[in-house]
Amino acid sequence: MSAADVRDAAHRENFPVASRLLPRAYRRDLMAVYGFARYVDDVGDEGDPAERPALLDEVEADLGRLYSGGSPRLPAVRALGPLVAGRGVPRTPFLHLVEANRRDQTVRRYDTFAQLLGYCELSANPVGRIVLHVFGVATPERARLSDRICSALQVIEHCQDVGEDHARGRVYLPGEDLRRFGCREADLDAPRTSPRLRRAVALQARRAATLLDEGMPLLETLSGFARTAVAGYVAGGRAALAALERGRHDVLGGAVRARRRAVLSEWVRVLKEVNGDGSRRDS
């Protein structure tokens, strides 16, 4: 994936990956993280299924080269060099992203929401933990709150991508919820979203909203550019949830995405919510 491809993909995300409101060094590091995550996802989704495990092994080996002071072979790993050297980001979150894509090769469905959150611990939460290191604000409590936000964003994406995921042979909506609402396999690749499936999607959206709310106290512990960036992620999630609701959770009838203007408006709203009337501002 070229740098231009990474930028194009970032513009399609629900949240601002590396806003121009941030200094250039932060934008560079955040785009490197995003580019790595996208590359690993592409390896796990687009490559020859027979070759994917070996390709993921090569990504892990290249991370080993990076962290041992060697020269990575993959551009997506090489781009992490300044981030690793300058920010002290540990290797484990990157390895978890690789492991999430290994799991995708063998685990195609999740029966409970708790199991899905277990997957998010590998596929989404590591990104938030890396972001905390980018801004030099990583602590165990902040990581716990960040996990709630990142899991919410992942669940929202699963809601939006029901059709695309099913075409790849994967179903991220919990099986017990699909059964609860009487969803059939045919509901997952129909031209439009059945009322049964809409109810299942709406339930996941409500759960994601709760996770976002549970992660909001993270913003109160941050200031400056860190607060601005994380507020943008929360805003993107909220705007995406609003778009899902406006679309009556018809995730198969067309792309249900928030417009950039809606994300920006929500971003301002989130920052005002955290700052309030001054009582919740940083001391």
Side-chain angles (χ1 to χ4, degrees):
M1 178 178 281
S2 68
D5 290 335
V6 171
R7 288 193 297 270
D8 288 343
H11 289 153
R12 294 192 296 271
E13 291 291 344
N14 287 318
F15 52 87
V17 172
S19 168
R20 292 190 179 276
L21 295 175
L22 304 176
R24 183 176 181 179
Y26 286 136
R27 297 202 311 271
R28 177 204 64 199
D29 289 345
L30 292 173
M31 287 302 294
V33 174
Y34 180 77
F36 175 83
R38 287 301 329 154
Y39 176 77
V40 176
D41 282 350
D42 286 347
V43 168
D45 288 343
E46 307 297 341
D48 184 329
E51 297 177 357
R52 292 174 191 173
L55 291 171
L56 291 168
D57 287 345
E58 177 56 26
V59 175
E60 183 171 339
D62 223 26
L63 286 169
R65 295 183 192 100
L66 174 65
Y67 276 87
S68 64
S71 298
R73 300 170 184 172
L74 301 170
V77 179
R78 275 201 305 274
L80 299 175
L83 168 67
V84 170
R87 310 288 188 188
V89 182
R91 187 189 325 192
T92 299
F94 294 112
L95 293 177
H96 283 171
L97 294 174
V98 176
E99 186 58 32
N101 281 273
R102 284 202 183 98
R103 181 176 294 187
D104 279 337
Q105 307 313 307
T106 57
V107 180
R108 300 289 179 167
R109 301 182 182 228
Y110 295 86
D111 198 55
T112 68
F113 189 67
Q115 290 173 358
L116 183 62
L117 288 181
Y119 171 71
C120 292
E121 290 178 7
L122 297 174
S123 66
N125 299 357
V127 175
R129 293 179 177 230
I130 294 169
V131 168
L132 293 177
H133 281 282
V134 167
F135 289 101
V137 295
T139 67
E141 177 60 16
R142 284 174 174 151
R144 185 187 69 81
L145 294 170
S146 171
D147 288 350
R148 311 305 282 178
I149 294 171
C150 291
S151 289
L153 295 175
Q154 181 76 86
V155 171
I156 293 167
E157 185 175 337
H158 289 328
C159 289
Q160 294 170 317
D161 294 344
V162 169
E164 180 181 334
D165 290 334
H166 188 260
R168 290 190 172 117
R170 299 175 190 154
V171 179
Y172 292 105
L173 301 182
E176 67 177 10
D177 296 328
L178 294 174
R179 294 191 297 272
R180 169 184 171 184
F181 294 110
C183 291
R184 309 183 186 107
E185 194 71 20
D187 289 324
L188 298 171
D189 62 0
R192 296 190 66 82
T193 314
S194 68
R196 298 181 294 267
L197 183 54
R198 291 185 197 221
R199 288 193 287 272
V201 171
L203 174 58
Q204 313 317 314
R206 291 194 297 273
R207 286 169 169 165
T210 297
L211 288 169
L212 279 179
D213 288 343
E214 290 173 352
M216 272 293 291
L218 172 61
L219 288 167
E220 299 177 16
T221 76
L222 303 175
S223 61
F225 293 119
R227 174 179 283 188
T228 299
V230 175
Y233 305 150
V234 173
R238 287 186 174 180
L241 288 171
L244 282 166
E245 187 169 0
R246 282 196 307 274
R248 301 175 64 188
H249 303 99
D250 180 13
V251 294
L252 299 179
V256 183
R257 305 281 172 177
R259 295 181 178 178
R260 183 171 299 182
R261 181 176 296 180
V263 175
L264 292 175
S265 297
E266 191 62 45
W267 202 346
V268 172
R269 190 174 297 114
V270 169
L271 287 171
K272 286 183 177 179
E273 181 180 331
V274 176
N275 293 333
D277 58 3
S279 61
R280 298 175 69 183
R281 289 181 184 272
D282 295 327
S283 58

